[in-house]
Amino acid sequence: MAGQHPDLDPAPAVNADDYVKIVVNPDGTVTRGHHIPNTPADPDPHQPSAVRTKDVPLNPAHNTWARIYLPRPSPTRADQKLPLVVYYHGGGFVWCSPANTVHHVFCSLMAAKLGAVVVSPSYRLAPEHRLPAAYDDAIEALRWVRTTEEEWLREGVDFSRCYLLGTSAGGNIVYHVGLRLCAAAADLEPLVIRTLILHHPFFGGSKRTESEVRLFNNPTLPVNGADRVWELALPAGANRDHEYCNPTAGERSDEWEGMKKPGWRVVVVGGGGDPMIDRQRELAAKLEAKGVQVVGLFSSEGDYHGVEILEPAKAELLFDKLKGII
């Protein structure tokens, strides 16, 4: 199986297919075994919650949509307009949606703590829609934000302060969206991106890192489970050093030089208990060496992959750190 390294890997503690629970049926349809709780949007202005939410369609042909989070009190004057965070959810490119309860809670907390309007777009999932479909949808969502007449955005957002944030696969999306857009950032005006925030970004490679070997059987993200996810998400026939998976493989100097031109900051958030921490640190170091403004927020061994999504107390600490950026 692609991505396995029997000379280095410990014995797997879990079966990769049991971890992923995705079956490609003979007719090409896909059955997902994970049942992830959802929370409906609540746009009611009379509810006491700190954040109002609503769902809006993006591209009916792709069945994509977005959830918007508007903190209270809503802006009433131009000088009160709020920054915008576009948030791309995780799920290995193969699971999840903005409606999942863990993402709803995380984005609601983000909007309230940062005093920002949050837009969380969906994107097409693999293996039905392999990469780069998710990147295409992510950019399409930004173009929708730029042109929409949706009142929560037109009335409440300062479009000159836009921040892209993504968790896990969403962090990978933010990185690749940044690479695509850095040479044509002006095309998004009046939407002006200020910072890319890669939260526990999901990367890989054909050669194991020290942290991947040491944390191979991490219960949150076992490395052989990640291998299986990449097989489902990457273009057919691609190996684990494909640019979508391994951002430091091959020669990337020109790409990173381009990311420097718009003057964006790149924030890389990682946990010491994440098997991918070595890859996250390496990318941050290489971007910084090319002159990109990098902020590394790397935490202790106890912080597993995506910890802030599952632990709201940790999310509050993260948002405290991001307040000085957003």
Side-chain angles (χ1 to χ4, degrees):
M1 183 180 291
Q4 288 190 331
H5 303 259
D7 55 328
L8 294 176
D9 291 349
V14 299
N15 178 281
D17 289 326
D18 288 343
Y19 173 80
V20 175
K21 287 185 169 59
I22 289 180
V23 176
V24 181
N25 302 310
D27 63 357
T29 61
V30 172
T31 301
R32 288 175 170 80
H34 286 298
H35 298 287
I36 304 171
N38 290 334
T39 296
D42 184 6
D44 187 350
H46 303 295
Q47 291 296 325
S49 58
V51 177
R52 295 167 62 194
T53 56
K54 73 161 71 167
D55 293 339
V56 295
L58 295 181
N59 184 337
H62 292 161
N63 199 31
T64 53
W65 56 280
R67 180 161 294 181
I68 307 175
Y69 300 77
L70 181 69
R72 299 174 189 268
S74 302
T76 57
R77 304 194 312 269
D79 62 354
Q80 292 180 318
K81 288 192 173 183
L82 303 177
L84 172 68
V85 178
V86 179
Y87 175 75
Y88 300 103
H89 68 78
F93 304 105
V94 299
W95 309 289
C96 299
S97 86
N100 296 155
T101 298
V102 290
H103 299 138
H104 180 87
V105 170
F106 185 74
C107 288
S108 296
L109 189 60
M110 184 194 315
K113 293 296 181 182
L114 296 181
V117 176
V118 176
V119 174
S120 179
S122 72
Y123 48 86
R124 288 170 293 169
L125 299 178
E128 303 96 318
H129 306 282
R130 291 174 176 267
L131 293 174
Y135 305 148
D136 295 340
D137 292 346
I139 290 176
E140 185 175 56
L142 291 177
R143 300 196 186 284
W144 175 86
V145 168
R146 172 182 172 270
T147 60
T148 184
E149 294 301 318
E150 164 56 47
E151 61 179 350
W152 282 14
L153 299 185
R154 290 294 143 198
E155 295 177 4
V157 165
D158 176 356
F159 287 91
S160 72
R161 292 188 290 156
C162 176
Y163 303 83
L164 307 187
L165 193 161
T167 298
S168 190
N172 177 300
I173 288 172
V174 167
Y175 172 74
H176 284 285
V177 166
L179 287 180
R180 285 194 185 188
L181 292 179
C182 60
D187 293 346
L188 286 177
E189 291 180 357
L191 193 67
V192 179
I193 296 170
R194 300 291 184 184
T195 301
L196 311 179
I197 305 170
L198 286 61
H199 177 234
H200 298 253
F202 184 56
F203 295 125
S206 63
K207 183 178 180 180
R208 296 286 195 237
T209 66
E210 186 279 334
S211 62
E212 287 170 340
V213 175
R214 175 169 48 86
L215 297 168
F216 185 86
N217 285 316
N218 177 268
T220 304
L221 184 65
V223 174
N224 63 321
D227 287 342
R228 181 66 181 128
V229 168
W230 279 116
E231 290 171 358
L232 295 168
L234 285 171
N239 67 31
R240 292 286 299 281
D241 284 331
H242 190 283
E243 61 184 304
Y244 297 160
C245 178
N246 189 346
T248 61
E251 181 53 56
R252 302 279 187 251
S253 294
D254 290 345
E255 293 179 349
W256 294 333
E257 288 284 350
M259 192 174 283
K260 182 174 62 175
K261 291 178 182 176
W264 297 336
R265 280 175 297 187
V266 178
V267 179
V268 184
V269 183
D274 185 345
M276 286 175 287
I277 186 65
D278 286 351
R279 298 192 183 278
Q280 295 157 3
R281 288 184 183 275
E282 181 185 13
L283 177 62
K286 290 196 171 184
L287 288 172
E288 189 169 32
K290 284 297 178 182
V292 178
Q293 300 178 55
V294 175
V295 178
L297 300 177
F298 299 108
S299 54
S300 68
E301 290 295 323
D303 286 344
Y304 52 86
H305 184 73
V307 60
E308 291 89 357
I309 295 293
L310 299 177
E311 298 186 29
K314 290 286 183 73
E316 290 202 38
L317 294 175
L318 172 64
F319 297 141
D320 284 341
K321 294 176 183 176
L322 293 180
K323 279 181 182 178
I325 296 170
I326 298 177

Short mmCIF file of all heavy atoms in Angstrom, two decimals, residues 148-193:
data_model
loop_
_atom_site.label_atom_id
_atom_site.label_comp_id
_atom_site.label_asym_id
_atom_site.label_seq_id
_atom_site.Cartn_x
_atom_site.Cartn_y
_atom_site.Cartn_z
N THR A 148 -21.05 38.78 -3.17
CA THR A 148 -22.39 38.52 -2.67
C THR A 148 -23.07 39.79 -2.15
O THR A 148 -22.41 40.71 -1.66
CB THR A 148 -22.36 37.46 -1.56
OG1 THR A 148 -23.72 37.18 -1.15
CG2 THR A 148 -21.61 37.96 -0.33
N GLU A 149 -24.38 39.78 -2.22
CA GLU A 149 -25.19 40.84 -1.61
C GLU A 149 -25.76 40.39 -0.27
O GLU A 149 -26.64 41.06 0.29
CB GLU A 149 -26.32 41.25 -2.56
CG GLU A 149 -25.82 41.90 -3.84
CD GLU A 149 -25.00 43.15 -3.57
OE1 GLU A 149 -25.39 43.94 -2.69
OE2 GLU A 149 -23.96 43.33 -4.25
N GLU A 150 -25.28 39.25 0.24
CA GLU A 150 -25.75 38.76 1.54
C GLU A 150 -25.60 39.85 2.60
O GLU A 150 -24.52 40.38 2.84
CB GLU A 150 -24.95 37.51 1.93
CG GLU A 150 -25.03 37.09 3.37
CD GLU A 150 -26.45 36.88 3.86
OE1 GLU A 150 -27.21 36.20 3.15
OE2 GLU A 150 -26.77 37.41 4.94
N GLU A 151 -26.72 40.21 3.26
CA GLU A 151 -26.74 41.39 4.13
C GLU A 151 -25.82 41.27 5.34
O GLU A 151 -25.22 42.28 5.77
CB GLU A 151 -28.17 41.68 4.59
CG GLU A 151 -28.80 40.57 5.40
CD GLU A 151 -30.21 40.92 5.87
OE1 GLU A 151 -30.59 42.10 5.72
OE2 GLU A 151 -30.90 40.02 6.38
N TRP A 152 -25.66 40.09 5.89
CA TRP A 152 -24.78 39.96 7.06
C TRP A 152 -23.34 40.31 6.72
O TRP A 152 -22.61 40.77 7.58
CB TRP A 152 -24.86 38.54 7.62
CG TRP A 152 -26.08 38.27 8.44
CD1 TRP A 152 -27.21 39.04 8.51
CD2 TRP A 152 -26.30 37.15 9.29
NE1 TRP A 152 -28.12 38.45 9.36
CE2 TRP A 152 -27.59 37.28 9.85
CE3 TRP A 152 -25.54 36.03 9.63
CZ2 TRP A 152 -28.13 36.35 10.73
CZ3 TRP A 152 -26.07 35.10 10.51
CH2 TRP A 152 -27.35 35.25 11.06
N LEU A 153 -22.97 40.08 5.48
CA LEU A 153 -21.61 40.43 5.06
C LEU A 153 -21.54 41.88 4.60
O LEU A 153 -20.65 42.62 5.01
CB LEU A 153 -21.14 39.49 3.95
CG LEU A 153 -21.07 38.00 4.30
CD1 LEU A 153 -20.47 37.21 3.15
CD2 LEU A 153 -20.26 37.77 5.56
N ARG A 154 -22.46 42.30 3.73
CA ARG A 154 -22.40 43.68 3.22
C ARG A 154 -22.54 44.71 4.32
O ARG A 154 -21.92 45.77 4.28
CB ARG A 154 -23.50 43.89 2.17
CG ARG A 154 -23.26 43.15 0.88
CD ARG A 154 -22.06 43.67 0.13
NE ARG A 154 -21.34 42.56 -0.53
CZ ARG A 154 -20.11 42.62 -0.96
NH1 ARG A 154 -19.40 43.71 -0.79
NH2 ARG A 154 -19.54 41.59 -1.55
N GLU A 155 -23.35 44.41 5.32
CA GLU A 155 -23.61 45.39 6.38
C GLU A 155 -22.63 45.27 7.53
O GLU A 155 -22.41 46.25 8.25
CB GLU A 155 -25.04 45.22 6.90
CG GLU A 155 -26.10 45.53 5.86
CD GLU A 155 -27.51 45.30 6.39
OE1 GLU A 155 -27.65 44.97 7.59
OE2 GLU A 155 -28.46 45.42 5.59
N GLY A 156 -22.02 44.09 7.72
CA GLY A 156 -21.24 43.88 8.94
C GLY A 156 -19.75 43.72 8.79
O GLY A 156 -19.03 43.72 9.79
N VAL A 157 -19.23 43.60 7.54
CA VAL A 157 -17.84 43.18 7.35
C VAL A 157 -16.99 44.31 6.79
O VAL A 157 -17.40 45.03 5.87
CB VAL A 157 -17.77 41.96 6.41
CG1 VAL A 157 -16.36 41.73 5.89
CG2 VAL A 157 -18.26 40.71 7.14
N ASP A 158 -15.79 44.43 7.34
CA ASP A 158 -14.73 45.26 6.76
C ASP A 158 -13.93 44.35 5.83
O ASP A 158 -13.10 43.57 6.28
CB ASP A 158 -13.85 45.84 7.87
CG ASP A 158 -12.67 46.64 7.34
OD1 ASP A 158 -12.49 46.70 6.10
OD2 ASP A 158 -11.92 47.20 8.17
N PHE A 159 -14.18 44.44 4.54
CA PHE A 159 -13.58 43.52 3.58
C PHE A 159 -12.08 43.73 3.43
O PHE A 159 -11.39 42.90 2.83
CB PHE A 159 -14.27 43.63 2.22
CG PHE A 159 -15.64 43.00 2.22
CD1 PHE A 159 -16.76 43.76 2.52
CD2 PHE A 159 -15.80 41.67 1.92
CE1 PHE A 159 -18.02 43.18 2.52
CE2 PHE A 159 -17.05 41.08 1.93
CZ PHE A 159 -18.18 41.84 2.23
N SER A 160 -11.57 44.82 3.97
CA SER A 160 -10.12 45.03 3.91
C SER A 160 -9.38 44.27 5.00
O SER A 160 -8.15 44.32 5.06
CB SER A 160 -9.80 46.52 4.02
OG SER A 160 -10.03 46.99 5.35
N ARG A 161 -10.11 43.56 5.83
CA ARG A 161 -9.48 42.76 6.89
C ARG A 161 -10.03 41.34 6.82
O ARG A 161 -10.95 40.96 7.54
CB ARG A 161 -9.77 43.36 8.27
CG ARG A 161 -9.09 44.70 8.52
CD ARG A 161 -9.25 45.15 9.96
NE ARG A 161 -10.64 45.52 10.25
CZ ARG A 161 -11.16 45.51 11.47
NH1 ARG A 161 -10.44 45.11 12.51
NH2 ARG A 161 -12.42 45.87 11.64
N CYS A 162 -9.46 40.53 5.93
CA CYS A 162 -9.89 39.16 5.73
C CYS A 162 -8.77 38.21 6.14
O CYS A 162 -7.61 38.40 5.78
CB CYS A 162 -10.27 38.92 4.26
SG CYS A 162 -10.72 37.21 3.88
N TYR A 163 -9.13 37.18 6.88
CA TYR A 163 -8.18 36.20 7.39
C TYR A 163 -8.67 34.82 7.00
O TYR A 163 -9.84 34.49 7.19
CB TYR A 163 -8.05 36.32 8.91
CG TYR A 163 -7.64 37.70 9.34
CD1 TYR A 163 -8.59 38.73 9.46
CD2 TYR A 163 -6.31 38.02 9.58
CE1 TYR A 163 -8.21 40.02 9.81
CE2 TYR A 163 -5.92 39.31 9.94
CZ TYR A 163 -6.88 40.30 10.05
OH TYR A 163 -6.50 41.57 10.39
N LEU A 164 -7.78 34.01 6.45
CA LEU A 164 -8.12 32.63 6.10
C LEU A 164 -7.59 31.70 7.17
O LEU A 164 -6.40 31.75 7.51
CB LEU A 164 -7.52 32.24 4.74
CG LEU A 164 -7.80 33.16 3.55
CD1 LEU A 164 -7.28 32.52 2.26
CD2 LEU A 164 -9.27 33.51 3.43
N LEU A 165 -8.47 30.87 7.71
CA LEU A 165 -8.09 29.95 8.79
C LEU A 165 -8.66 28.58 8.44
O LEU A 165 -9.81 28.47 8.02
CB LEU A 165 -8.65 30.46 10.12
CG LEU A 165 -8.13 29.82 11.43
CD1 LEU A 165 -8.42 30.73 12.61
CD2 LEU A 165 -8.75 28.46 11.71
N GLY A 166 -7.84 27.56 8.60
CA GLY A 166 -8.33 26.21 8.36
C GLY A 166 -7.68 25.23 9.29
O GLY A 166 -6.52 25.37 9.68
N THR A 167 -8.45 24.20 9.66
CA THR A 167 -7.98 23.16 10.57
C THR A 167 -7.70 21.87 9.80
O THR A 167 -8.52 21.45 8.97
CB THR A 167 -9.04 22.88 11.65
OG1 THR A 167 -9.25 24.05 12.42
CG2 THR A 167 -8.60 21.74 12.56
N SER A 168 -6.55 21.26 10.04
CA SER A 168 -6.19 19.96 9.46
C SER A 168 -6.24 20.04 7.94
O SER A 168 -5.48 20.80 7.34
CB SER A 168 -7.11 18.87 10.02
OG SER A 168 -6.64 17.58 9.66
N ALA A 169 -7.15 19.29 7.28
CA ALA A 169 -7.27 19.42 5.84
C ALA A 169 -7.59 20.87 5.45
O ALA A 169 -7.15 21.36 4.41
CB ALA A 169 -8.35 18.48 5.30
N GLY A 170 -8.34 21.56 6.32
CA GLY A 170 -8.62 22.97 6.06
C GLY A 170 -7.38 23.83 6.11
O GLY A 170 -7.26 24.82 5.38
N GLY A 171 -6.41 23.48 6.97
CA GLY A 171 -5.14 24.19 7.00
C GLY A 171 -4.35 23.95 5.73
O GLY A 171 -3.70 24.86 5.20
N ASN A 172 -4.41 22.72 5.23
CA ASN A 172 -3.81 22.40 3.94
C ASN A 172 -4.47 23.25 2.84
O ASN A 172 -3.78 23.80 1.97
CB ASN A 172 -3.96 20.91 3.67
CG ASN A 172 -3.44 20.46 2.32
OD1 ASN A 172 -3.89 20.92 1.29
ND2 ASN A 172 -2.51 19.52 2.33
N ILE A 173 -5.78 23.37 2.89
CA ILE A 173 -6.51 24.17 1.90
C ILE A 173 -6.06 25.62 1.95
O ILE A 173 -5.80 26.24 0.91
CB ILE A 173 -8.03 24.05 2.13
CG1 ILE A 173 -8.52 22.67 1.72
CG2 ILE A 173 -8.78 25.13 1.36
CD1 ILE A 173 -9.97 22.38 2.08
N VAL A 174 -5.96 26.19 3.15
CA VAL A 174 -5.53 27.59 3.28
C VAL A 174 -4.16 27.78 2.64
O VAL A 174 -3.92 28.77 1.93
CB VAL A 174 -5.52 28.02 4.76
CG1 VAL A 174 -4.80 29.36 4.93
CG2 VAL A 174 -6.95 28.13 5.29
N TYR A 175 -3.24 26.85 2.87
CA TYR A 175 -1.91 26.96 2.29
C TYR A 175 -1.97 26.97 0.77
O TYR A 175 -1.37 27.83 0.11
CB TYR A 175 -1.03 25.80 2.79
CG TYR A 175 0.31 25.72 2.10
CD1 TYR A 175 1.32 26.63 2.41
CD2 TYR A 175 0.56 24.75 1.13
CE1 TYR A 175 2.56 26.56 1.76
CE2 TYR A 175 1.78 24.69 0.48
CZ TYR A 175 2.78 25.59 0.80
OH TYR A 175 3.99 25.54 0.16
N HIS A 176 -2.72 26.03 0.18
CA HIS A 176 -2.75 25.94 -1.27
C HIS A 176 -3.57 27.06 -1.90
O HIS A 176 -3.25 27.52 -3.01
CB HIS A 176 -3.26 24.56 -1.69
CG HIS A 176 -2.23 23.48 -1.54
ND1 HIS A 176 -1.17 23.35 -2.40
CD2 HIS A 176 -2.06 22.53 -0.58
CE1 HIS A 176 -0.40 22.34 -2.01
NE2 HIS A 176 -0.92 21.84 -0.91
N VAL A 177 -4.61 27.52 -1.22
CA VAL A 177 -5.34 28.70 -1.70
C VAL A 177 -4.40 29.90 -1.71
O VAL A 177 -4.39 30.70 -2.66
CB VAL A 177 -6.57 28.96 -0.83
CG1 VAL A 177 -7.15 30.35 -1.08
CG2 VAL A 177 -7.64 27.90 -1.10
N GLY A 178 -3.58 30.04 -0.66
CA GLY A 178 -2.63 31.13 -0.62
C GLY A 178 -1.66 31.08 -1.78
O GLY A 178 -1.36 32.10 -2.41
N LEU A 179 -1.14 29.88 -2.09
CA LEU A 179 -0.22 29.75 -3.22
C LEU A 179 -0.88 30.16 -4.53
O LEU A 179 -0.27 30.82 -5.38
CB LEU A 179 0.26 28.30 -3.34
CG LEU A 179 1.26 27.79 -2.31
CD1 LEU A 179 1.61 26.34 -2.60
CD2 LEU A 179 2.52 28.63 -2.27
N ARG A 180 -2.15 29.78 -4.69
CA ARG A 180 -2.85 30.12 -5.94
C ARG A 180 -3.12 31.61 -6.06
O ARG A 180 -3.09 32.17 -7.17
CB ARG A 180 -4.17 29.37 -6.02
CG ARG A 180 -4.06 27.89 -6.34
CD ARG A 180 -5.44 27.38 -6.71
NE ARG A 180 -5.49 25.95 -6.92
CZ ARG A 180 -6.56 25.33 -7.40
NH1 ARG A 180 -7.65 26.02 -7.71
NH2 ARG A 180 -6.55 24.02 -7.57
N LEU A 181 -3.43 32.25 -4.95
CA LEU A 181 -3.92 33.62 -4.99
C LEU A 181 -2.84 34.67 -4.83
O LEU A 181 -3.09 35.85 -5.13
CB LEU A 181 -4.97 33.83 -3.91
CG LEU A 181 -6.29 33.08 -4.09
CD1 LEU A 181 -7.22 33.39 -2.92
CD2 LEU A 181 -6.97 33.45 -5.41
N CYS A 182 -1.66 34.30 -4.33
CA CYS A 182 -0.68 35.33 -3.97
C CYS A 182 -0.27 36.19 -5.15
O CYS A 182 0.03 37.38 -4.99
CB CYS A 182 0.53 34.71 -3.28
SG CYS A 182 1.45 33.51 -4.26
N ALA A 183 -0.25 35.62 -6.35
CA ALA A 183 0.15 36.40 -7.52
C ALA A 183 -0.99 37.24 -8.08
O ALA A 183 -0.75 38.11 -8.93
CB ALA A 183 0.68 35.48 -8.61
N ALA A 184 -2.21 36.98 -7.62
CA ALA A 184 -3.36 37.70 -8.16
C ALA A 184 -4.26 38.19 -7.03
O ALA A 184 -5.49 38.21 -7.17
CB ALA A 184 -4.14 36.79 -9.10
N ALA A 185 -3.65 38.57 -5.90
CA ALA A 185 -4.43 38.99 -4.74
C ALA A 185 -5.32 40.19 -5.07
O ALA A 185 -6.43 40.31 -4.54
CB ALA A 185 -3.51 39.33 -3.57
N ALA A 186 -4.86 41.07 -5.97
CA ALA A 186 -5.64 42.26 -6.31
C ALA A 186 -6.96 41.91 -6.98
O ALA A 186 -7.91 42.70 -6.94
CB ALA A 186 -4.81 43.18 -7.20
N ASP A 187 -7.04 40.72 -7.58
CA ASP A 187 -8.26 40.32 -8.26
C ASP A 187 -9.42 40.10 -7.30
O ASP A 187 -10.58 40.03 -7.73
CB ASP A 187 -8.03 39.03 -9.07
CG ASP A 187 -7.09 39.24 -10.24
OD1 ASP A 187 -6.82 40.41 -10.58
OD2 ASP A 187 -6.62 38.24 -10.80
N LEU A 188 -9.12 39.96 -6.01
CA LEU A 188 -10.16 39.74 -5.01
C LEU A 188 -10.71 41.04 -4.43
O LEU A 188 -11.65 41.00 -3.65
CB LEU A 188 -9.63 38.86 -3.87
CG LEU A 188 -9.45 37.38 -4.15
CD1 LEU A 188 -8.85 36.69 -2.93
CD2 LEU A 188 -10.77 36.72 -4.53
N GLU A 189 -10.10 42.17 -4.74
CA GLU A 189 -10.54 43.42 -4.14
C GLU A 189 -12.03 43.65 -4.40
O GLU A 189 -12.53 43.30 -5.48
CB GLU A 189 -9.71 44.58 -4.71
CG GLU A 189 -8.26 44.54 -4.25
CD GLU A 189 -7.44 45.70 -4.81
OE1 GLU A 189 -7.98 46.50 -5.61
OE2 GLU A 189 -6.25 45.79 -4.47
N PRO A 190 -12.78 44.18 -3.41
CA PRO A 190 -12.29 44.83 -2.18
C PRO A 190 -11.91 43.87 -1.05
O PRO A 190 -11.61 44.30 0.04
CB PRO A 190 -13.48 45.69 -1.76
CG PRO A 190 -14.67 44.89 -2.21
CD PRO A 190 -14.26 44.26 -3.52
N LEU A 191 -11.96 42.55 -1.30
CA LEU A 191 -11.55 41.59 -0.30
C LEU A 191 -10.02 41.59 -0.22
O LEU A 191 -9.36 41.33 -1.23
CB LEU A 191 -12.06 40.20 -0.67
CG LEU A 191 -12.00 39.11 0.40
CD1 LEU A 191 -12.96 39.42 1.53
CD2 LEU A 191 -12.32 37.76 -0.22
N VAL A 192 -9.49 41.90 0.95
CA VAL A 192 -8.03 41.97 1.12
C VAL A 192 -7.62 40.96 2.19
O VAL A 192 -7.99 41.09 3.36
CB VAL A 192 -7.57 43.38 1.53
CG1 VAL A 192 -6.05 43.41 1.72
CG2 VAL A 192 -7.99 44.40 0.49
N ILE A 193 -6.88 39.93 1.78
CA ILE A 193 -6.40 38.91 2.71
C ILE A 193 -5.20 39.46 3.47
O ILE A 193 -4.27 40.02 2.87
CB ILE A 193 -6.02 37.63 1.95
CG1 ILE A 193 -7.26 37.03 1.28
CG2 ILE A 193 -5.38 36.60 2.89
CD1 ILE A 193 -6.95 35.90 0.32
#
